[in-house]
Amino acid sequence: MIQDGVHPSLHINYKNFDLKQYFKEGRGCRTEGTFRNPNDFGVNKGLPNLPYLQKIGRESIGACWKSNASATTAA
């Protein structure tokens, strides 16, 4: 149950990827994603693959923001 003074958080786990969003004052204030095994996304480890991993992370975070916006407007 969410009440005044409670700051909910959203945690999504997919294989070895974690997406966390922390809320403050009814808004998402911080979102972070962690890749523990990029092979889950068809990407090898290494700095040359960092731009692609960043792209995947941004898309994941964007999808999270969109789903939160939909949930907020539907409520």
Side-chain angles (χ1 to χ4, degrees):
M1 177 179 288
I2 299 175
Q3 300 175 349
D4 281 337
V6 175
H7 301 291
S9 62
L10 174 68
H11 297 256
I12 299 172
N13 299 315
Y14 172 74
K15 295 185 180 182
N16 288 302
F17 178 75
D18 296 322
L19 183 66
K20 299 175 187 175
Q21 189 168 45
Y22 303 91
F23 294 86
K24 184 176 181 180
E25 298 174 7
R27 296 178 45 197
C29 64
R30 184 174 125 184
T31 303
E32 62 184 51
T34 306
F35 291 93
R36 288 191 309 275
N37 185 358
N39 289 326
D40 289 342
F41 294 86
V43 183
N44 292 322
K45 293 181 181 180
L47 287 177
N49 297 318
L50 184 58
Y52 184 67
L53 288 171
Q54 289 173 326
K55 179 183 177 210
I56 293 171
R58 286 187 186 109
E59 288 172 358
S60 300
I61 290 170
C64 179
W65 279 102
K66 286 178 186 174
S67 67
N68 284 339
S70 297
T72 303
T73 56

